[in-house]
Structure formats: C-alpha cells, structure tokens
Amino acid sequence: MYHFYVGTTPKNPPGYIASVKLDENGQLIDKAYYGATSPAYLCRKADRLYAVIENVAFGGLEVFAIGEGGRLTAKGHLMTEDVYSTFVSAEAQGDRVFVANYGTPSCAVYRCQRDIVVCERIVRKGVDHNSHVHCAVVTPDEKYLCVADVGTDEIVLYDLDSWDVVECIKFPKGSGPRHLVFSVDGESAYVITESSSEVVSLAYTPDREKKLTILKYGQTQPTGYGGAAGIRISPDGRFVLASNRNANSISVFEIREDGLMSLIHNETVPDGSPRDFQFTPDGRFLIVGLQKSNQLVVYKMNEHGGMKFCSLIKEIEQPTCIVF
C-alpha cells in the first residue's frame, strides 16, 4: 500500500490536507481530509507534517502530528504578516524549518521544538522590487541553504552557521529559477525555470570556492510554453522529471554518469495544470496533481522512464503538493 498527503489551495479557504491511500496496483483505496489553512506546500519529517499557508492576506506555518493509520492532528502554528508562503523544507539533523514567502518576499527560518514554532530569523527580505522567493532547500551536507528567487533570476547560498551569503548564482534574465533538487549522490543539482521552462543541471562542489556551477540547460517539451513548475528526481537517481502547467506535460530527462541529462520522453497529462508531482518511494508510480481540474492522475513508471496511465483520483480541490 502507498500512503501520501496532498497540499491544496481551495477557492474557499481555509481548506484541507488530503490523505490518500493506493493499493499495489496504483488504485485508490481510501482518502480522508484534515482541516488546514491554505496548505499549498508540505514537508514531512518523521512523524510531523509541516504545511505553509498560501494566502493573500497572511502566511505562516502549521504543524501536524502523524498518528496511527496516517491520521493528522494539529499541534502548532505560527501566523505571520508574510503573504503567499509557497514552499517549506526542513533540515534532517536539526530542528529548523525553512519557508519561502513569495509575496513578502522573504525566506523565514523557524525553530520547531515540541510543536512550538518560533521565528529565528528572516533572510532575503525585500532585496529588490522584482523579488519573489519561491523555494528554500538545504544542501545534502546541510552546510548551506539555497534560496531561489524567481523574480530576480538567481539562487543565493547562505551559510547555515553564520548566515553569510556564500555565493549568488545568476540565471538568464526572465528565466525564473523556481525549484531545485539535489541528486541522490549529492554531487549535482537540478533547477526548473518557470518562465523559460528549462531544466538546468549544476555541479555541487562544497569544498571549492564556487559551490554551484551551471553546466547545461535542457528544454522541457513542448517548447514555446512558460509555466514550468515542479521538479523531482526518481528514487533510483536515474531520472529527473519536470512539469509544465501551461503545456499539461511532464518531461523526463535521463541523468548520465557525469551528472548531465538528456531528454528521453515527454508525457501529455490530462488538462488541469500539473503544478506538482511525486514518485512513490519504490519508484513504481508517479502521482501528478492537476491543480485546475481538482484531481490526481497516477502513472506506472517503467525502467526506461516511460509513463503509463493507471488511474484518476477525483475530489482533491486544487492539489499543489504531494509528499509521502
């Protein structure tokens, strides 16, 4: 059985987190709904689920305990004056949680201890009138925090001890770096650009003066569409996938031994704007959230990166994030 959670941005807040269970064939077993405040993006750490608040008037973070059978119980929250909180991640070893605030713009650093949420610091707040912070990801060695600014076309690295700016990686003007993921071996990173709809491969070299180096740009398919959104790496580390909301597509890139990538497949998904997607932990299935059609589509993955339609799950209002 596969069990996962879906973040949503319902038209009529406050909203909910959906808990979904699939059988070994990718078919729906059960789903349940737990009240939350516009939980656009989720992050799971052990038996806790963190959810950001994506709202035009306020932002913040909510904490849920994961109980028997996957039941969620609200434990803590912190409402802030930030607006449109769009991304959340957590460090593996410590108790810090990082939230990207697209509208404010800023990146908030929280301490979560015994379900009490305290804001420790704010970085990259109002640095530019074009700024829109869209994600904040810790490097695999947990030395740096990578903050992607889709509005200023750059990713900024902060030292997680001193909070000094280590470096700033510039992307082509108007490309819009949105999200990034690291390879399974931790030696490469991959960035999805929202406006130019590209996947960018970078080398991660923490022991060198330059930590992240752009190596190659790969175009998602079909071309001519802006609106790229999600990026994920398969559990076996062989493929990087990227979604394009405007084209209703998932592009599959194969990762080579040198960390570079080659486009090998493009899948047109049902109309609905695929904002986010996620692999099952064993890599057998891919669940795609169709934000505008209020449903999930499940695909079975083959060993060559191909996708085969498996099932459709309805009544998930505006799905925006999927986590196991």
Side-chain angles (χ1 to χ4, degrees):
M1 183 184 73
Y2 303 100
H3 178 218
F4 57 92
Y5 298 97
V6 184
T8 64
T9 53
K11 293 181 180 179
N12 298 309
Y16 59 80
I17 296 171
S19 170
V20 182
K21 296 179 181 178
L22 305 180
D23 65 18
E24 61 182 11
N25 296 312
Q27 303 298 315
L28 178 67
I29 296 176
D30 183 40
K31 63 178 183 290
Y33 305 94
Y34 299 93
T37 309
S38 299
Y41 211 86
L42 310 174
C43 170
R44 180 173 182 173
K45 183 178 179 180
D47 63 350
R48 289 296 184 267
L49 188 70
Y50 300 106
V52 297
I53 301 170
E54 185 179 293
N55 190 281
V56 68
F58 57 89
L61 182 71
E62 293 184 303
V63 184
F64 297 85
I66 302 173
E68 185 176 355
R71 181 178 295 275
L72 296 180
T73 302
K75 286 292 185 179
H77 70 274
L78 180 65
M79 301 295 184
T80 71
E81 295 180 355
D82 297 312
V83 294
Y84 282 119
S85 301
T86 56
F87 190 95
V88 59
S89 64
E91 60 185 359
Q93 302 302 319
D95 56 11
R96 289 179 294 188
V97 176
F98 311 97
V99 171
N101 299 305
Y102 179 90
T104 305
S106 68
C107 175
V109 182
Y110 298 114
R111 291 277 183 182
C112 295
Q113 299 176 331
R114 298 179 181 177
D115 298 321
I116 297 174
V117 183
V118 178
C119 184
E120 180 179 86
R121 70 177 62 240
I122 302 291
V123 298
R124 199 167 177 77
K125 184 173 182 178
V127 296
D128 188 287
H129 71 278
N130 293 317
S131 178
H132 289 296
V133 176
H134 214 303
C135 90
V137 175
V138 176
T139 56
D141 51 17
E142 301 207 324
K143 290 182 178 180
Y144 310 106
L145 180 69
C146 307
V147 177
D149 194 319
V150 71
T152 60
D153 303 306
E154 56 194 6
I155 292 178
V156 181
L157 265 67
Y158 292 88
D159 186 292
L160 278 172
D161 290 326
S162 67
W163 288 106
D164 293 334
V165 173
V166 176
E167 71 178 354
C168 180
I169 301 92
K170 298 285 187 178
F171 290 77
K173 185 176 181 180
S175 59
R178 176 183 169 99
H179 284 185
L180 74 153
V181 291
F182 282 88
S183 60
V184 173
D185 63 13
E187 296 179 358
S188 302
Y190 301 90
V191 174
I192 184 77
T193 59
E194 181 171 343
S195 299
S196 62
S197 298
E198 295 171 295
V199 175
V200 186
S201 60
L202 303 93
Y204 177 56
T205 51
D207 296 330
R208 297 183 182 179
E209 182 178 355
K210 190 166 181 56
K211 312 302 179 186
L212 283 173
T213 304
I214 294 176
L215 299 177
K216 182 180 180 181
Y217 289 81
Q219 183 69 54
T220 63
Q221 298 292 326
T223 60
Y225 292 85
I231 185 166
R232 303 285 188 183
I233 288 182
S234 60
D236 62 8
R238 296 177 56 214
F239 305 103
V240 56
L241 277 63
S243 69
N244 191 308
R245 291 168 293 181
N246 294 343
N248 288 305
S249 67
I250 302 286
S251 293
V252 182
F253 296 83
E254 185 173 28
I255 299 175
R256 306 194 318 230
E257 289 186 4
D258 59 5
L260 299 180
M261 60 199 176
S262 300
L263 179 68
I264 60 170
H265 178 67
N266 190 76
E267 183 76 20
T268 300
V269 303
D271 287 349
S273 188
R275 177 164 163 175
D276 192 38
F277 57 93
Q278 185 60 273
F279 287 93
T280 55
D282 59 8
R284 293 184 62 223
F285 296 97
L286 186 78
I287 297 96
V288 182
L290 303 177
Q291 185 178 7
K292 292 184 178 179
S293 59
N294 303 320
Q295 55 191 354
L296 308 175
V297 58
V298 182
Y299 290 93
K300 187 171 184 179
M301 303 296 299
N302 66 33
E303 61 181 4
H304 305 294
M307 300 166 58
K308 182 180 180 181
F309 174 82
C310 187
S311 65
L312 201 63
I313 301 169
K314 299 183 178 181
E315 298 179 346
I316 307 288
E317 188 175 3
Q318 296 198 17
T320 51
C321 179
I322 300 164
V323 297
F324 278 81

